[in-house]
Amino acid sequence: MAKKTLTTILDDAVMTDAGLTLNGVVLQQIIDKCEGCERVVNHETGSNYCTSYSQPASKWIQGVCNFATHIRAEKDAGGKIKINPLKASKRAARGR
Ligand code: SF4
């Protein structure tokens, strides 16, 4: 049986002097808070990039990234934001 090869949007990215570039946009590497997210892809250069955002750090400036698959932000009864890291494990338990 042939091994299935995953393709991502990063397959079309090219390395330039400015960095990994996709359609003219320079991609920034992920930050520590992205670790564990399913949207992280390891590029052949050995660095990790997000398949959804070119600048992952900017998605965390005002709280939790809204596309993160490993953490979810929720508001409690008092209106404070709580971070729920269990979203990924719940998905795994449901088989998705
Ligand atoms: S979707 Fe958000 S949390 Fe996930 S890798 Fe991209 S920027 Fe990071």
Side-chain angles (χ1 to χ4, degrees):
M1 181 178 212
K3 183 177 178 183
K4 184 178 178 184
T5 303
L6 285 177
T7 58
T8 70
I9 194 168
L10 294 183
D11 293 343
D12 296 331
V14 293
M15 186 57 77
T16 66
D17 291 341
L20 190 64
T21 305
L22 179 66
N23 296 332
V25 177
V26 177
L27 306 178
Q28 305 292 318
Q29 293 181 36
I30 63 161
I31 61 174
D32 292 346
K33 294 175 182 175
C34 297
E35 295 290 342
C37 179
E38 294 173 5
R39 298 180 199 278
V40 174
V41 169
N42 186 272
H43 189 257
E44 62 191 33
T45 58
S47 300
N48 293 325
Y49 294 91
C50 174
T51 56
S52 297
Y53 297 109
S54 60
Q55 298 176 328
S58 66
K59 295 302 294 180
W60 290 90
I61 289 175
Q62 295 186 347
V64 176
C65 171
N66 59 330
F67 266 44
T69 61
H70 60 312
I71 290 177
R72 179 176 52 195
E74 298 173 340
K75 285 188 178 177
D76 65 10
K80 291 187 177 182
I81 295 177
K82 292 173 35 180
I83 296 174
N84 181 358
L86 299 177
K87 184 178 178 182
S89 63
K90 286 178 184 174
R91 281 186 178 170
R94 280 186 264 151
R96 289 195 297 169

